[in-house]
Amino acid sequence: MVLPEIGEETEAVVRFLQRYASYPSVSADPTCEQGMRDSRDCIAGFLRQEGFAVELVAAAKHPLLLASRSISPQAPSLLLYGHYDVQPPEPLELWESPPFTPTIREGVLYGRGVADNKGAHTILLHALCRTLRENPSCPWNLRVLLEGEEEIGSPGMEAFLKEHRDALRSELFLLADTGTCDEEHLSLTTGLRGLLTLELGVTTAATDLHSGLGGPMPNAAQVLAELCAGLHGADGRVNVGGFYDDVQAPSAEELASLRDISEEDLRRDAGIQAFAPHEGSALYAQRFLPTLEINGLSGGWQGPGVKTIIPAKARAKISCRLVPDQSPEKIFQQLQKRLQDLCPPWARIALSPEARGKPYRFPLEDLRPEGTSPGFPARAFRLLQTATREIFGTPLRLSREGGSIPLMCAVQEITGMNPLMPGFFTARHRLHAPNENLPLATIARVYRVFRKCFQELFQPGP
Ligand code: BES
Ligand code: MN
C-alpha cells in the first residue's frame, strides 16, 4: 500500500520503522536476545548500505553499535545518539494490535518502540542519509551511537564513555529522545529529571500461612501497603525526611517555558479523569519537582479463585524522579531511613537500588551566538528554529522535561559535550504503555525539519 499523503521519503521511513520495530528488543528481558540481535542487524544493515563503517562494542548486557563515516580529521564531527532497546510491552491484553507487529490505523503507527526510540532515531538517520545521498561530499565526519541498555539505566555507558572519550568528542551532538507539550510544537529540551529506581522487599514469615491462623499473624502484603502509603502526605508531597532539601527553584527563563502550555491538553492526552494532589501547577510539578512513584506491587495470591493465605513476602518497585540539585545516593539513604522508621517489628525489609541517574541541565549559553563554545550548537539551534517555524508553523519551544535519560550527566561529565535534544513525544504517544504510537503526520513533519536542518548544515561555508 502506498501512503500518498506523506510523500515518498517519509514512506521509506515508515516502511523501515515497521520492520525495525518488529524485532522485540526488550533490554530488561533475558529471553529477548534474538530480538536485540535482529534490531542491531536491521539498523547496522541500513547504516552500512549508506556508507557507514559499523562496529559493535560490548557493554554491560547488550552491545552498543557505533557507526562512522569520516572524511578528515580536520572536518567538524556530528554525533547522533539513539537507543535500540525498548520497554517491556506488558500488559499484552491491552494492545489493540500486537506490540511487535507495527500496524497503521487511521494514520497512526502502533507498536512498541515506534516512538521511543526506534522511531525517533529512524527519522533522524533517514533524514541524514537522504541528505548525504544528495550531497556525498558533505564536509562533516559523522558518527552514530546506538545504545542497547538505555531502558535499563545505561549500566555500560560510563565505562564506554571513558574509554571512547576522544573518539566521540564532536562539535555537534544530537539526541532525539524527549518530549514536547503538544503535537503542534517541537521542543528543545533544556533539562531532564534524574532518576532512582529500587525494589522494596517485605518478609514477615518463612512461608505463607493458612489465613485461619490469622489475627495475630503478620501479613507481608499488608505491611507493604502501609509502607507505601506512608511515603506521601495527603497533599501529594513525598513524606521522606530531607527529600526536598536540595530542590532548586527553576530560573525565570525555565519558568517562562510553561507559558501557554495547556494543562487541559495534558490531562486529556494522558487520558486521566483528574490530576492527583500536587504542589503548584500540574505542569510545574511535572517538570520542576521531584516525585516518588510506586511502579508495581506484588505479593500473595493473584491467581484465579480462592486461596486463603497470609502472604509471607511482598514486593514493590519504586522510582523517584529527581530535579537539580538532588543526588540519587542521598535520596536513596533518606528513603532507606524513612522505610526503616516505618517498618513494624513484625516485618523485615530489604531495599535494592536499580537504575540511577542525576538530573541534567543543558547550558543555555551554548545556544547564544556570542557564546563561548565553538558555535556549532548555536548554529544548529538557529537552523532548527527556522525549520520548525517553516514546517510546524509554530516556534521551537525550550522546555525542561519530566522524563530521564540516565546517561546524560555522565556524558556531560566525561566528554564535556551537551547534546541538542529536539523533542516531539507527547502523552498521546503512550511511551512505555500499551498502544505506543506515532502519527504518520508527526513522522513526516519531524523528518522534514531534520532534512532541512541537515541540508543547511552541510552546506560548505561558515
Ligand atoms: N525517551 C525516554 C526519556 C524521555 C521520555 C524523556 C519523554 C523526556 C520525555 C527514555 O527512553 C526513558 O524512558 N528513560 C527511562 C530511563 C529508565 C528506564 C532508566 C525513564 O525515563 O524512565
Ligand atoms: Mn527513550
Side-chain angles (χ1 to χ4, degrees), residues 208-214 219 300-301 304-311:
D208 292 350
L209 298 169
H210 189 290
S211 70
L213 296 171
N219 181 319
W301 176 241
V306 180
K307 190 175 187 223
T308 47
I309 54 156
I310 300 170

Side-chain angles (χ1 to χ4, degrees), residues 249-325:
S251 65
E253 214 166 3
E254 289 173 314
L255 260 183
S257 72
L258 296 185
R259 233 185 11 227
D260 41 75
I261 306 183
S262 146
E263 291 210 359
E264 185 45 30
D265 285 355
L266 170 64
R267 194 194 59 74
R268 208 199 35 237
D269 289 353
I272 59 163
Q273 258 160 43
F275 292 114
H278 57 278
E279 218 182 323
S281 74
L283 295 162
Y284 183 91
Q286 197 180 55
R287 290 166 172 76
F288 300 120
L289 291 177
T291 67
L292 184 152
E293 303 283 352
I294 313 296
N295 308 126
L297 294 169
S298 62
W301 176 241
Q302 299 280 359
V306 180
K307 190 175 187 223
T308 47
I309 54 156
I310 300 170
K313 284 181 186 297
R315 286 184 305 145
K317 294 263 189 184
I318 297 177
S319 65
C320 293
R321 297 282 169 181
L322 310 177
V323 301
D325 292 327

Side-chain angles (χ1 to χ4, degrees), residues 124-203:
L124 239 74
L125 291 176
H126 276 69
L128 174 73
C129 292
R130 268 293 170 152
T131 312
L132 292 177
R133 282 191 191 179
E134 232 169 50
N135 180 3
S137 59
C138 154
W140 283 72
N141 295 317
L142 304 168
R143 297 174 185 134
V144 179
L145 170 60
L146 297 177
E147 193 190 355
E149 304 178 324
E150 197 275 344
E151 299 289 6
I152 52 171
S154 300
M157 234 12 206
E158 200 170 314
F160 169 80
L161 290 170
K162 285 188 174 143
E163 200 178 324
H164 295 79
R165 185 190 343 233
D166 297 327
L168 289 172
R169 198 166 283 133
S170 301
E171 278 67 23
L172 188 60
F173 181 10
L174 271 183
L175 185 160
D177 195 28
T178 55
T180 188
C181 50
D182 60 53
E183 222 94 54
E184 297 311 312
H185 289 87
L186 195 66
S187 286
L188 189 79
T189 301
T190 56
L192 292 158
R193 287 198 286 193
L195 186 75
L196 169 70
T197 78
L198 42 96
E199 192 171 301
L200 165 63
V202 175
T203 308

Side-chain angles (χ1 to χ4, degrees), residues 83 85 116-117 150-151 177 404-405 425 431-432:
H83 59 90
D85 65 326
D116 182 10
N117 175 262
E150 197 275 344
E151 299 289 6
D177 195 28
S404 310
I405 305 180
F425 301 147
L431 269 53
H432 297 199

Side-chain angles (χ1 to χ4, degrees), residues 202 223 227 337-349:
V202 175
V223 171
L227 291 180
K337 171 157 193 323
R338 172 70 174 147
L339 286 165
Q340 267 151 7
D341 290 350
L342 284 172
C343 185
W346 49 90
R348 275 183 292 110
I349 56 170

